[in-house]
Amino acid sequence: MYGYSNHARDNATIKEVPSKEIYKNYFEVDFLAETKQYYETEAQNLIRGVTCSEYIKQAEKRLNEEKDRLGFYLDSSTEQPLISVFISAYIIQNCKALVEMENTGLLFLLQEEKYDEIKRMYKLFISSNESFELFLKSITAFINKNLETLVSEEENKKDALKTVENIIEFHSKVMRILKSALDVDTKQQRHFHKIVKDTFEFWLNKNQSLSFNLNQYIDYCLRTSFISKSEVEIDQGLNKIIEIFKFLNNKDLFEKFYKNFLSNRLLHDKSLSEDYEKSMIEKLRKECGPFYTSKLEIMFKDITISKQTMSDFLTWYVTKQEKTSTPLDIDIRILTQGSWPISEITSCTLPQEVKPFITQYSMFYLKNNMGKNITWATNYGTAQVRANYAEKKKEFVMTTHQMCVAVLFNEKTKFSVDEIQRMTQIPFDELKICIEAMLAIKLFINESNGTDITNRDVIAYNPDFTHKSYKIKVPEKRKKGIDKNVEETLVQSVQLERKHAVEAAIVRIMKSRRLMEHTQLVEEVIKYSSINQFTPDVPFIKQVIENLISREYLDRSADNRNVYVYLS
């Protein structure tokens, strides 16, 4: 459509002007300027007296009104500049204030999980790069602030289990926000998930204690916490644990801790359910592959085979002895060497009440498993011992070594420590721990009254022992410092294994490449190390390289000190 003027000068026709140009030059420019001024004034007045949610609702309302008017009164070409003017006046100029608004801003909405308000805010903020960038930064700041508090040393010292529980709950909260409020655009979802991944990985790997604490939490769940939960709730709980596990860079260290906790649950029948245990291992297997869980699965297989072997032995024993039952209620576990976290193995001379039974079991097992040997790890065993006192009977739950000491007092009422050691063959350091534990509950008395037990001390039976409970657990003390430093000991073990793994990776890479620049070698080593479920830092890799150079596996190039040469 075109417009014409009838005005003429010197009989010359005025040049034709397109109506769209008139629309833009004489209407749209002024219209947009006045619209901008109007909304800037309204926005400034509004933001002083309303909450963030109220402001966003008003902005949403105004934006919809403008879109409606566009269809009735304005050319479609005005839509984009008009929306831009509105977003600039209402959102971009006030986005920082909206985010930081005390007790109502975006950080507050995130903390309180106000899904509808967050979604409204997101839809408005995504209209410009500036406001959306601030939106992303705010979500990052929200996650960082919470995680910094949760993983602080103070929180861990208060209650490590509660800290892990809070981290799991916070991650669930963040994922609920992403799903309920920000599940709008697939492209933008990648931004949010990357923020979650990067922030959680950063804070959860600040120190190595989370691997230990997360295992403590899993142990607590599989021992007691899941007892009142349904199958669905338990599966959900394990999935939440796996979500946190995914963020750990030191999965090799986690596996070491997991094996120790699992060993304790299996050997002492402390697990609520074998199915829950297997479900957790299957989830770890899906995440890290079959090699990662191979030893854990062998541990379960050992327990299953041990139970069947024990059943077969008891049937054989009763038949052979022509008795209706065994003289002792005993359970023996056969463990595959190398698959269980058993470092120190000590044996002792077992009491006459037990020794014949153990001898028979050894004969039975070796006869049915040709080519195998048995090493008795009595320092990992437990026993239940009944005692008859003048007034009441008591039952003690103790270690096998403590049991070996206790039953000696059926023969006489006092022994020197030296005599006890000769009769039990328990190493002195271990024996000292056993005796100290029983002295602590006054099961026996040290007649020498020494502060530190020596082999000359005399330990006497206490006929006046009393306790309010019928069943009493004797403290299972360990060598001084061992319990306290279990985490540190395993960390050192893993560090050594990592050193060997990185050394092997470097030699393997350099053997095939022969010549390689430092940065390239570091990148390749990090890729190789992911197979072993850990990410070595650059200083650690550099330290291993220097060690290999000193041992003449590698050398620096004479032409470029930043290039390594493999020495065959």
Side-chain angles (χ1 to χ4, degrees):
M1 172 179 152
Y2 295 90
Y4 300 91
S5 170
N6 291 323
H7 179 70
R9 182 178 294 172
D10 297 331
N11 296 322
T13 305
I14 294 201
K15 186 177 181 181
E16 297 177 0
V17 180
S19 61
K20 184 155 271 188
E21 191 173 318
I22 294 173
Y23 172 84
K24 284 192 172 293
N25 293 337
Y26 294 97
F27 171 73
E28 188 181 78
V29 172
D30 291 340
F31 171 74
L32 292 176
E34 289 188 23
T35 300
K36 182 174 185 291
Q37 184 178 357
Y38 174 81
Y39 280 129
E40 281 178 349
T41 303
E42 182 178 272
Q44 288 301 314
N45 291 333
L46 182 66
I47 202 166
R48 296 192 191 103
V50 297
T51 65
C52 177
S53 296
E54 290 169 338
Y55 184 95
I56 292 299
K57 285 178 183 177
Q58 179 65 12
E60 195 175 52
K61 178 185 174 186
R62 286 299 199 199
L63 182 60
N64 290 332
E65 289 173 351
E66 288 297 342
K67 288 179 177 179
D68 289 341
R69 279 193 286 270
L70 271 165
F72 287 108
Y73 307 116
L74 302 171
D75 189 83
S76 60
S77 64
T78 306
E79 180 177 0
Q80 188 56 47
L82 178 60
I83 298 302
S84 296
V85 162
F86 175 81
I87 292 297
S88 174
Y90 240 83
I91 303 301
I92 295 176
Q93 293 183 30
N94 297 294
C95 60
K96 192 170 187 296
L98 289 169
V99 165
E100 297 174 353
M101 197 174 284
E102 190 175 357
N103 295 328
T104 67
L106 177 58
L107 296 178
F108 170 82
L109 298 177
L110 291 167
Q111 194 67 44
E112 298 300 316
E113 298 185 62
K114 303 290 184 182
Y115 303 137
D116 292 339
E117 287 89 337
I118 296 170
K119 185 178 285 189
R120 286 193 181 100
M121 206 166 180
Y122 164 76
K123 287 181 178 179
L124 291 170
F125 273 52
I126 202 174
S127 302
S128 84
N129 290 335
E130 185 180 341
S131 57
F132 185 62
E133 187 69 29
L134 182 62
F135 190 86
L136 292 177
K137 285 181 179 178
S138 300
I139 290 177
T140 304
F142 164 72
I143 299 174
N144 278 329
K145 182 181 177 183
N146 280 272
L147 286 177
E148 183 178 13
T149 303
L150 289 173
V151 303
S152 66
E153 288 186 14
E154 290 75 14
E155 285 297 311
N156 278 304
K157 285 176 182 176
K158 285 179 188 175
D159 188 340
L161 291 180
K162 189 65 179 175
T163 296
V164 174
E165 190 175 341
N166 289 339
I167 290 171
I168 291 172
E169 179 50 41
F170 178 67
H171 178 261
S172 299
K173 178 178 187 173
V174 171
M175 298 313 292
R176 285 195 300 271
I177 292 171
L178 261 59
K179 183 178 180 181
S180 302
L182 301 175
D183 190 16
V184 181
D185 183 275
T186 305
K187 182 181 177 181
Q188 301 306 336
Q189 273 283 303
R190 289 197 292 270
H191 284 292
F192 299 127
H193 283 286
K194 187 176 187 304
I195 287 171
V196 173
K197 180 177 182 294
D198 291 348
T199 50
F200 271 82
E201 280 186 354
F202 174 79
W203 287 107
L204 300 189
N205 291 288
K206 285 284 282 183
N207 57 61
Q208 300 186 102
S209 63
L210 185 68
S211 286
F212 184 78
N213 293 343
L214 184 57
N215 268 291
Q216 278 188 314
Y217 180 77
I218 295 169
D219 189 62
Y220 165 67
C221 290
L222 295 175
R223 280 173 179 258
T224 56
S225 176
F226 284 166
I227 195 167
S228 59
K229 296 184 183 295
S230 66
E231 296 289 331
V232 174
E233 289 173 326
I234 290 168
D235 191 60
Q236 289 172 346
L238 294 178
N239 286 335
K240 288 179 180 180
I241 290 169
I242 291 294
E243 288 303 312
I244 300 302
F245 168 77
K246 288 178 182 178
F247 297 121
L248 298 180
N249 291 334
N250 52 354
K251 292 182 174 67
D252 56 339
L253 181 60
F254 176 92
E255 188 263 346
K256 286 280 186 186
F257 290 138
Y258 194 92
K259 197 157 61 171
N260 274 266
F261 282 104
L262 176 62
S263 171
N264 191 275
R265 292 196 297 272
L266 292 180
L267 293 180
H268 299 99
D269 292 320
K270 296 296 184 182
S271 185
L272 284 174
S273 165
E274 189 174 306
D275 290 338
Y276 303 161
E277 294 281 3
K278 288 182 177 178
S279 177
M280 182 64 197
I281 290 174
E282 179 58 28
K283 292 179 189 298
L284 291 172
R285 188 177 186 275
K286 284 182 180 178
E287 184 62 29
C288 300
F291 180 77
Y292 187 77
T293 57
S294 58
K295 289 186 178 179
L296 304 178
E297 289 166 359
I298 289 172
M299 291 166 71
F300 264 103
K301 186 178 178 182
D302 284 348
I303 295 300
T304 302
I305 293 173
S306 294
K307 288 178 179 177
Q308 184 59 53
T309 303
M310 195 69 216
S311 175
D312 294 343
F313 167 71
L314 292 175
T315 302
W316 172 83
Y317 183 88
V318 169
T319 304
K320 183 182 177 182
Q321 300 295 326
E322 296 182 352
K323 294 180 180 179
T324 57
S325 63
T326 58
L328 294 172
D329 183 7
I330 194 166
D331 188 16
I332 298 169
R333 306 289 172 89
I334 299 293
L335 314 180
T336 302
Q337 193 170 3
S339 296
W340 291 75
I342 294 176
S343 52
E344 295 182 29
I345 296 178
T346 58
S347 296
C348 66
T349 302
L350 293 167
Q352 289 302 316
E353 294 88 343
V354 179
K355 191 183 293 184
F357 200 80
I358 295 299
T359 302
Q360 291 287 336
Y361 182 88
S362 296
M363 291 170 56
F364 174 83
Y365 181 82
L366 295 174
K367 183 180 178 181
N368 290 283
N369 295 272
M370 301 296 289
K372 291 191 176 182
N373 294 315
I374 294 179
T375 301
W376 292 96
T378 54
N379 54 319
Y380 285 91
T382 57
Q384 288 180 287
V385 180
R386 294 188 183 91
N388 297 318
Y389 290 94
E391 295 184 3
K392 289 183 179 179
K393 292 182 179 180
K394 298 290 182 183
E395 185 174 304
F396 297 95
V397 179
M398 53 179 63
T399 67
T400 301
H401 284 185
Q402 288 169 345
M403 177 268 292
C404 291
V405 173
V407 297
L408 291 178
F409 289 85
N410 286 329
E411 299 177 17
K412 60 179 185 177
T413 58
K414 60 179 68 175
F415 291 90
S416 69
V417 173
D418 188 56
E419 285 180 294
I420 295 173
Q421 187 179 8
R422 279 190 288 105
M423 296 174 77
T424 62
Q425 292 299 302
I426 299 171
F428 179 75
D429 288 344
E430 184 72 26
L431 177 61
K432 183 178 173 182
I433 293 165
C434 291
I435 294 172
E436 284 175 347
M438 291 186 281
L439 291 174
I441 63 168
K442 299 181 180 178
L443 181 58
F444 300 113
I445 300 167
N446 185 354
E447 292 190 343
S448 304
N449 294 319
T451 55
D452 192 28
I453 293 175
T454 68
N455 57 3
R456 293 187 300 273
D457 285 0
V458 175
I459 309 301
Y461 166 73
N462 179 15
D464 300 321
F465 174 82
T466 58
H467 198 281
K468 62 181 180 181
S469 303
Y470 166 72
K471 195 170 187 177
I472 304 141
K473 189 177 189 323
V474 180
E476 189 179 344
K477 291 188 178 181
R478 295 290 181 192
K479 291 179 183 178
K480 192 173 183 180
I482 292 293
D483 273 352
K484 184 180 178 182
N485 297 318
V486 166
E487 181 180 355
E488 185 180 336
T489 303
L490 285 174
V491 168
Q492 290 172 353
S493 169
V494 168
Q495 284 291 78
L496 185 61
E497 289 178 8
R498 288 178 179 179
K499 179 177 178 290
H500 294 325
V502 171
E503 279 183 351
I506 293 171
V507 171
R508 192 181 302 114
I509 293 165
M510 290 301 298
K511 193 172 183 179
S512 63
R513 303 289 183 88
R514 313 299 295 183
L515 201 73
M516 204 167 191
E517 193 267 332
H518 174 78
T519 305
Q520 289 179 317
L521 179 58
V522 168
E523 289 173 356
E524 286 293 315
V525 169
I526 290 173
K527 286 180 185 177
Y528 265 90
S529 299
S530 64
I531 300 170
N532 296 306
Q533 304 296 340
F534 75 97
T535 305
D537 56 33
V538 175
F540 181 73
I541 297 172
K542 188 175 179 181
Q543 183 183 2
V544 175
I545 291 172
E546 293 296 336
N547 182 262
L548 288 172
I549 290 173
S550 68
R551 289 158 56 194
E552 298 183 352
Y553 282 90
L554 308 176
D555 200 359
R556 295 182 186 277
S557 171
D559 300 325
N560 187 346
R561 300 287 292 172
N562 208 35
V563 173
Y564 301 112
V565 181
Y566 178 72
L567 302 177
S568 55

